[in-house]
Amino acid sequence: MPELTVPIKIFDPAVPFASYQVSDPGIDTWHDDVLVTRRALDHLAHFHVTETARLKLSGGMSMIVPRVEIGLQIGSIKIDKITALVVDDGHHDVLLGSSVFDRVFAIGQSDESEVRISTPQKDDPSALSVELYPVQMPIDLAKFEFLLRAKRKLYNLSLVAFGEVPLLTGAVIEDIINCDENIPSHLRLKLAWVDAGSIWLTLKSGSTNTLKYLASLFETGASAKLAQQVAEAQKAETEAAISQATRDATAIRLNEEQERLRIENVAKVYEVWRSQVLSHVNFLDEVLAKIEDPRVATQLRAQRDQAIAELVEQTILPVVRNIPRPHIRGEGPMLLGPGNMP
């Protein structure tokens, strides 16, 4: 039975940022499904098993085993959700069946959006990752430029409004917002990754709080919402334990999101998002109201309104896939004991 030399990680699809690297992965395409041992699942966030499936054995025999949905990362290929059958023990922690290769060879097809390329730069937990869905093809290059420029301008505007970049005497507001003038290098918005094969932007900056604020203007993926909830938890025990109810609710949102982002539904989602962004014209108003110089406040509001207009003046739906968060501690073992078995 072939063994793999590339690293393999498994994760709960509802908690994709907390993964476990398995040892001794193998391949056996005689099986359709992925097989995973209990000891490997013990390292994932807890969830109870509610379904069973028939596992075929040699000689025409079979047995009933638990069935779960897990996420897989094989080297740089990430499968957000795939069926796995749970076995008591085995030589391999994870055994890849034929279904994995069917999914891998379909990367790039519109109906296989759960399979993608992953790299440490792309999925940097300290960065803001945004996946872009085209509403109409082809996309005018000028409108694509509007989207990138609007992101940067709104980010710079937030830096000024939050006081992270002081307004020096004689500084020109337009130059700060539009040209990054007087913004230190470590605070400037940087493009850390552009995905090959799809449109995925990873934005990096020394100001993670400002990146989080910028993310609030975009459609936020279900996994990013959960990451934000965990990152903003006030108590260590809340941060370390993701409840079953939270996990189930997130899994439902992930399924709903996948359906909404299929090609025939993207236009509808885009129109809803566009209306929401336009309604956010009071973006930063409370913060800007605290600026003592009325001339500066007026200029910042004008820059904000222009950036918002540019943001929606294109046919691309931006969906947040990662919100900057601190290091996530282990979530504790799964509850996969006798009381949770079918």
Side-chain angles (χ1 to χ4, degrees), residues 8-16 18-20 22 34 36 41 44 47 68-74 77-84 94 96 100 103 114 247:
I8 288 186
K9 295 180 181 180
I10 60 174
F11 55 90
D12 182 342
V15 194
S19 61
Y20 168 69
V22 301
V34 175
V36 58
L41 284 181
L44 296 187
F47 58 90
V68 296
E69 285 188 333
I70 63 171
L72 269 178
Q73 182 162 344
I74 310 165
I77 296 174
K78 193 168 188 177
I79 303 176
D80 290 335
K81 187 170 58 177
I82 194 167
T83 298
V94 170
L96 303 182
V100 170
R103 302 283 288 281
E114 295 174 353
R247 186 222 168 261

Side-chain angles (χ1 to χ4, degrees), residues 168-246:
L168 303 176
T169 303
V172 179
I173 297 295
E174 288 80 358
D175 290 342
I176 297 175
I177 305 303
N178 297 321
C179 305
D180 295 356
E181 289 290 335
N182 298 330
I183 297 179
S185 176
H186 73 284
L187 288 180
R188 291 183 180 180
L189 194 60
K190 297 177 176 63
L191 186 59
W193 174 260
V194 178
D195 194 14
S198 63
I199 307 177
W200 182 301
L201 307 175
T202 299
L203 305 175
K204 189 84 173 178
S205 163
S207 177
T208 56
N209 287 333
T210 309
L211 283 179
K212 287 183 181 180
Y213 207 86
L214 181 63
S216 67
L217 283 178
F218 307 126
E219 174 81 3
T220 306
S223 57
K225 289 177 181 176
L226 179 63
Q228 187 178 42
Q229 291 170 5
V230 174
E232 293 176 351
Q234 297 299 313
K235 297 181 180 179
E237 57 265 32
T238 305
E239 186 176 310
I242 299 173
S243 70
Q244 179 66 40
T246 300

Side-chain angles (χ1 to χ4, degrees), residues 128 130 147-158 162 189 203 205 207-220 273 280 283-284 307-308 311 320 323-324:
L128 169 63
V130 181
L147 176 68
L148 297 179
R149 184 170 60 186
K151 287 175 183 286
R152 184 175 56 83
K153 289 171 67 174
L154 288 168
Y155 170 83
N156 289 348
L157 181 69
S158 303
F162 293 142
L189 194 60
L203 305 175
S205 163
S207 177
T208 56
N209 287 333
T210 309
L211 283 179
K212 287 183 181 180
Y213 207 86
L214 181 63
S216 67
L217 283 178
F218 307 126
E219 174 81 3
T220 306
W273 169 77
H280 285 172
F283 175 62
L284 291 180
I308 290 287
L311 184 63
V320 173
I323 294 174

Side-chain angles (χ1 to χ4, degrees), residues 46-71:
H46 64 274
F47 58 90
H48 60 271
V49 176
T50 58
E51 297 181 348
T52 60
R54 187 174 296 277
L55 173 61
K56 295 180 181 180
L57 305 174
S58 61
M61 306 292 285
S62 66
M63 60 184 297
I64 301 299
V65 296
R67 179 174 62 186
V68 296
E69 285 188 333
I70 63 171

